[in-house]
Amino acid sequence: MGFFSKLFKSEDESMILTSPAAGTAVAISEVPDPTFAEEILGKGIAIRPTGNTVFSPCDGTIDLMFDTGHAVNLISDSGIEILIHIGLETVGLKGKHFKTLRESGDKVKKGDPLIEFEREAIAEEGYNTIIPVVICNSDSYSRIDTVTGKDVAAGDRIITVVK
C-alpha cells in the first residue's frame, strides 16, 4: 500500500459509527467498570447520556436485543460487531425503565431508534447511566479512532474504524 493510499483511505476501508445517544462523549477508560474501562470486551467509547433513546450507530442487523432492554448487540453491514450497553449493572433492573423498539434479527439503518429508557428513573435507583459503545471484534481492525471530550447529538460521528 502506497503512502497516499494510507493517508486517504477509501470508504470501503473505513467505517463511521455515530453516537447512539445525545450526551457527552468520553474515553472508554472513564467507565467505572473494569470490563469496559480495561477494554476486555473491545475498544470503544462511552456516552454520558442527556437523552432517553438509543439509536443505531450504523446500517446493520441486530444480532441480540437483550430481553431486559439494557443492551443491544449489532453487526454492521461491513461486519463490525457493536455492543451498546445502557448503564452499569442495569441488567439488575430486569427490564424496568427500558422499552425495546426492535428485535433480534431486525435489519436497521443508521439513526433508527432501538431502545427507549428512563434515564432519570434509572439514576434515581442508584445506577450509573453511562452508555459504553464497544467494538467487540476490535482485533479485526488496524485502527479504531474515537472522538471524545465533547457534547454530541445522536447521529454525530464518534468512531472511525479502519480495516
Side-chain angles (χ1 to χ4, degrees):
M1 185 179 279
F3 174 76
F4 286 107
S5 60
K6 284 183 183 175
L7 280 179
F8 305 105
K9 296 278 187 190
S10 66
E11 282 300 312
D12 64 327
E13 290 182 294
S14 67
M15 172 74 184
I16 305 301
L17 299 179
T18 61
S19 183
T24 303
V26 298
I28 195 83
S29 60
E30 291 188 31
V31 175
D33 180 317
T35 301
F36 296 109
E38 296 173 14
E39 299 181 339
I40 292 168
L41 298 176
K43 296 184 183 306
I45 193 169
I47 307 295
R48 294 189 195 284
T50 55
N52 294 300
T53 305
V54 163
F55 301 90
S56 181
C58 60
D59 294 352
T61 303
I62 296 176
D63 186 48
L64 177 62
M65 176 63 76
F66 288 72
D67 291 341
T68 54
H70 78 286
V72 60
N73 189 57
L74 300 137
I75 300 177
S76 77
D77 285 347
S78 62
I80 301 169
E81 298 172 13
I82 307 144
L83 172 66
I84 303 169
H85 196 285
I86 304 168
L88 301 179
E89 304 297 331
T90 50
V91 66
L93 290 169
K94 298 182 169 104
K96 184 177 175 187
H97 308 305
F98 295 94
K99 178 183 177 187
T100 60
L101 306 175
R102 304 294 232 150
E103 298 178 6
S104 298
D106 284 358
K107 294 288 287 173
V108 293
K109 294 287 186 190
K110 180 173 63 173
D112 285 352
L114 303 177
I115 301 169
E116 292 175 349
F117 61 101
E118 298 171 40
R119 180 175 41 88
E120 294 87 1
I122 293 167
E124 285 172 9
E125 294 218 25
Y127 292 87
N128 187 322
T129 60
I130 196 164
I131 301 174
V133 181
V134 178
I135 309 301
C136 296
N137 59 341
S138 296
D139 292 344
S140 299
Y141 302 98
S142 65
R143 204 171 77 232
I144 296 172
D145 299 327
T146 59
V147 176
T148 59
K150 69 178 213 170
D151 291 340
V152 294
D156 288 353
R157 175 194 300 215
I158 57 166
I159 301 175
T160 302
V161 179
V162 181
K163 289 184 182 176

